[in-house]
Amino acid sequence: MVDAFPDAKVVLTVRDPQRWYDSAAQTMSAVLARPPLLVRVLSWRGPRRPDPESGGPRPRTADDVAT
């Protein structure tokens, strides 16, 4: 690495390996617990109109997109 980037600045830190692992595992599990943003956006269905027959929400149809 030094041969490829001889003018690069390097910051050397020393950290307890177990504390680093615990911190990294906590960060990664929090990130991986949620679906990716693109999946959340593409799966969002938006507000639903009530179903006149049951009074509850009804599945969206292609007609809902036009309105």
Side-chain angles (χ1 to χ4, degrees):
M1 193 78 133
V2 174
D3 292 337
F5 303 98
D7 297 329
K9 305 288 188 238
V10 177
V11 177
L12 176 63
T13 62
V14 178
R15 186 169 180 187
D16 176 58
Q18 187 61 48
R19 288 184 58 202
W20 175 87
Y21 178 84
D22 293 342
S23 174
Q26 183 179 11
T27 300
M28 287 185 272
S29 67
V31 169
L32 296 175
R34 294 182 62 182
L37 177 61
L38 182 59
V39 171
R40 293 193 316 259
V41 168
L42 294 177
S43 63
W44 181 72
R45 296 179 182 253
R48 296 180 174 186
R49 288 194 251 161
D51 182 2
E53 294 177 12
S54 68
R58 65 176 175 79
R60 292 181 58 136
T61 65
D63 295 333
D64 293 332
V65 176
T67 59

